[in-house]
């Protein structure tokens, strides 16, 4: 894969990101548990990134501040790639970049709801079932966490709440 330009999301990127997200997730998007968390708090501009290809939005990832009990972390999502540009490594590159930046900022964990076969190789593992709850329907097998501080997952228990 050739070098790709990942840069922080800017306010001007918002319309293109919103359109990519609604096309990817469709009208059911807002029923998803992760979207409910994101309604509670805005995404973190320091930890939201895009891939810009010659001035056009190719892919986007957003991280939103959350708390579980007293433990602050980030929720990753949506991760979305422009359909004609899938399978070029953009999705994984954005996740790896976001995790590295989160670690550099001292974030202790990143949570997401997603497919284990995709996110497992990127450092995400399932949480012990039943201990962490999302504010909406969510298959517990898809609730995954990347520990940026070793052992932090074992202390996570309770409802995921967006932290404005
Ligand atoms: C999922 C998504 C972000 C992947 O982005 P991408 O840039 O195409 O992914 P990458 O190029 O980094 O990785 C591609 C590889 O991941 C695999 N992959 C893609 N989605 C997958 C999934 N849901 N489960 C397992 N593997 C998956 C592809 O088959 C491909 O495998 P290959 O490299 O062996 O061919 C993109 O398909 C997308 O925008 N989907 C719609 C929105 C969405 O579902 N977002 C994720 C929410 S959890």
């Amino acid at each position: 894969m050739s070098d790709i330009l990942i840069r922080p999301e800017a306010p001007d990127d918002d319309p293109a990101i919103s359109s990519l997200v609604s096309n990817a997730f469709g009208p059911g998007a807002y029923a998803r548990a992760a979207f409910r968390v994101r309604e509670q708090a805005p995404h973190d501009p320091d930890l939201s990134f895009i891939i810009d290809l010659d001035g056009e939005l190719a892919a986007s990832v957003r991280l939103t501040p959350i708390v579980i009990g007293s433990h602050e972390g980030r929720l990753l999502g949506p991760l979305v790639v422009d359909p004609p540009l899938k399978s070029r490594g953009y999705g994984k590159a954005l996740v790896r970049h976001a995790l590295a930046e989160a670690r550099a900022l001292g974030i202790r964990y990143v949570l997401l709801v997603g497919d284990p076969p995709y996110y497992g190789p990127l450092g995400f593992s399932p949480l012990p079932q039943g201990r962490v709850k999302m504010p909406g329907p969510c298959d517990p097998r898809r609730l995954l966490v990347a520990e940026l501080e070793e052992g932090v997952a074992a202390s996570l228990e309770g409802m995921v709440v967006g932290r404005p």
Side-chain angles (χ1 to χ4, degrees):
M1 189 177 58
S2 56
D3 282 353
I4 55 172
L5 174 66
I6 297 180
R7 65 160 172 83
E9 179 186 325
D12 283 357
D13 297 319
D14 193 62
I17 294 171
S18 298
S19 142
L20 207 56
V21 168
S22 21
N23 288 341
F25 292 99
Y30 296 92
R32 289 167 172 250
F35 278 80
R36 292 194 188 168
V37 174
R38 295 195 284 267
E39 280 172 353
Q40 297 168 353
H43 59 279
D44 182 347
D46 293 332
L47 286 174
S48 295
F49 301 95
I50 68 150
I51 292 180
D52 183 319
L53 270 191
D54 303 324
E56 297 291 328
L57 178 73
S60 153
V61 69
R62 286 174 161 171
L63 272 67
T64 298
I66 54 168
V67 289
I68 303 173
S70 61
H71 298 288
E72 185 178 331
R74 295 290 182 276
L75 179 74
L76 185 150
L79 169 68
V80 60
V81 175
D82 191 19
L85 303 174
K86 283 183 183 178
S87 286
R88 294 187 182 191
Y90 292 168
K92 288 176 186 172
L94 272 183
V95 173
R96 287 198 187 97
H97 184 80
L99 286 182
E101 294 290 314
R103 188 188 298 274
L105 289 178
I107 304 300
R108 299 169 65 214
Y109 68 90
V110 175
L111 189 80
L112 62 77
V113 181
D115 291 335
Y118 186 75
Y119 289 103
L122 295 167
F124 288 83
S125 308
L127 277 161
Q129 285 193 23
R131 300 201 31 205
V132 171
K133 300 207 181 310
M134 292 290 286
C138 167
D139 179 346
R141 291 167 299 188
R142 290 169 47 81
L143 193 54
L144 311 177
V145 68
E147 290 188 322
L148 304 183
E149 176 187 297
E150 201 181 331
V152 68
S155 57
L156 300 178
E157 187 163 18
M159 182 63 76
V160 178
V161 179
R163 186 184 60 74

